Amino acid sequence: MASKPNVEYIAGGATQNSIKVAQWMLQIPGATDYIGCIGKDKFGEEMKKNSKAAGVNVQYLEDETAPTGTCAVCVVGGERSLIANLSAANCYKSEHLKKPENWALVEKAKYFYIAGFFLTVSPESIQLVAEHAAAKNKVFSMNLSAPFICEFFKDAQEKALPYMDFVFGNETEARTFSKVHGWETDDVAEIALKISQWPKASGTYKRTTVITQGADPVIVAEDGKVKQFPVILLPKEKLVDTNGAGDAFVGGFLSQLVQGKSIEDCVRAGCYASNVIIQRSGCTYPEKPEFK
């Protein structure tokens, strides 16, 4: 793909996309931190430059041997196909998180978000952050991220689930989660409710499950009730690519959550952010948001 004439290089990564969008929506310098792993190479340098420009405080573990992870994205008629080469992204070690200067960021943060993809890399790091959040009454959220995570990393996911105050995902992931747990239902609202009622490690917050369904309404399950919120519909000719839409939704949602806004406002912001992102290439955005 790299030899094709119209290739674009855009900084990505599921969690990083969400954090960048949250930072963009907030417009408060240094409101967010991101920790992950890159290689010592050109793409790694680009990643650092891009994140700094986005206003995110990044603390990367720089792996000596593995190159920075890449993901080939092929977009046909607005729909995307992804081939990931995780490389350095797969090399994160909890020792880096435990370093005083990095753990200080954990101590300082009030909200945490980790993509489900990270369950394949460092469940120990997830557990450290999750337990800290529970002990200090902070908000911990994760994403189902992909059907394969629900299927093949079921145990790691189940270990982290009691700590999750917010669970994000899409309809396909929700249905896979249901199938894997033998719930025998394809009803996304029912599945969202069941996930929200999964036992919790800490009683400070009730769990909220947020499931997106592309152009169909967003489903939110909390406190034994299910609500549906319509998304902003986009004419087909305006759709550039759906890459990063789910990540952007989470970023928009979190940007309001951290300000103590209502779930309605959080979902509205999520829908606004994903609507902006699908009209552009990759997970990119204009200089300033126009969200009211």
Side-chain angles (χ1 to χ4, degrees):
M1 274 178 78
S3 63
K4 295 262 185 284
N6 55 349
V7 174
E8 290 180 89
Y9 291 92
I10 300 164
T15 308
Q16 189 162 246
N17 284 343
S18 296
I19 293 302
K20 276 179 7 195
V21 169
Q23 177 64 48
W24 170 67
M25 290 282 287
L26 282 162
Q27 293 286 308
I28 303 162
T32 57
D33 293 313
Y34 174 79
I35 294 177
C37 188
I38 58 173
K40 291 192 161 177
D41 52 18
K42 192 180 86 192
F43 285 153
E45 287 308 311
E46 279 299 307
M47 196 75 102
K48 281 193 268 195
K49 211 168 76 187
N50 181 279
S51 300
K52 268 204 184 75
V56 179
N57 172 32
V58 292
Q59 294 298 327
Y60 294 119
L61 166 60
E62 294 185 32
D63 193 273
E64 297 292 337
T65 51
T68 299
T70 48
C71 183
V73 184
C74 182
V75 180
V76 180
E79 293 300 331
R80 83 241 195 272
S81 182
L82 308 173
I83 304 286
N85 173 20
L86 294 173
S87 197
N90 217 12
C91 300
Y92 190 79
K93 307 282 182 291
S94 59
E95 287 73 42
H96 178 261
L97 180 64
K98 290 174 188 165
K99 282 186 173 174
E101 64 271 29
N102 296 329
W103 191 255
L105 299 176
V106 175
E107 294 275 2
K108 207 172 74 172
K110 297 186 179 79
Y111 294 82
F112 301 97
Y113 173 70
I114 307 178
F117 293 120
F118 198 61
L119 288 163
T120 72
V121 179
S122 180
E124 193 198 342
S125 298
I126 295 177
Q127 206 61 25
L128 285 169
V129 174
E131 286 173 7
H132 166 84
K136 304 280 190 210
N137 298 328
K138 295 175 176 184
V139 176
F140 181 77
S141 49
M142 283 191 74
N143 204 309
L144 299 177
S145 285
F148 85 87
I149 299 287
C150 304
E151 285 182 283
F152 305 113
F153 294 87
K154 177 172 174 266
D155 295 350
Q157 193 178 51
E158 281 183 10
K159 198 176 170 201
L161 192 56
Y163 295 93
M164 298 181 207
D165 299 307
F166 285 85
V167 177
F168 296 95
N170 66 26
E171 75 279 44
T172 320
E173 294 151 7
R175 290 189 173 119
T176 304
F177 189 94
S178 170
K179 191 178 85 195
V180 166
H181 290 90
W183 288 350
E184 294 180 355
T185 177
D186 260 352
D187 183 318
V188 179
E190 193 184 332
I191 297 163
L193 196 57
K194 283 176 99 92
I195 293 173
S196 74
Q197 290 165 340
W198 194 283
K200 280 195 92 250
S202 144
T204 310
Y205 309 103
K206 291 191 168 85
R207 182 180 301 109
T208 304
T209 310
V210 185
I211 306 293
T212 58
Q213 311 187 88
D216 293 327
V218 177
I219 289 176
V220 178
E222 59 174 349
D223 214 2
K225 292 186 279 294
V226 178
K227 287 181 183 163
Q228 301 205 13
F229 300 92
V231 302
I232 309 161
L233 294 174
L234 189 72
K236 190 88 176 117
E237 63 274 10
K238 280 192 163 178
L239 176 70
V240 174
D241 98 52
T242 54
N243 193 24
D247 300 336
F249 175 87
V250 173
F253 188 101
L254 293 174
S255 74
Q256 303 308 298
L257 183 71
V258 303
Q259 297 181 75
K261 300 284 171 68
S262 68
I263 290 293
E264 285 79 357
D265 281 345
C266 293
V267 172
R268 220 163 45 81
C271 291
Y272 165 77
S274 50
N275 182 265
V276 168
I277 263 80
I278 61 176
Q279 295 182 63
R280 301 167 68 90
S281 191
C283 194
T284 60
Y285 38 77
E287 195 191 342
K288 289 238 161 52
E290 288 174 7
F291 179 73
K292 297 282 181 289

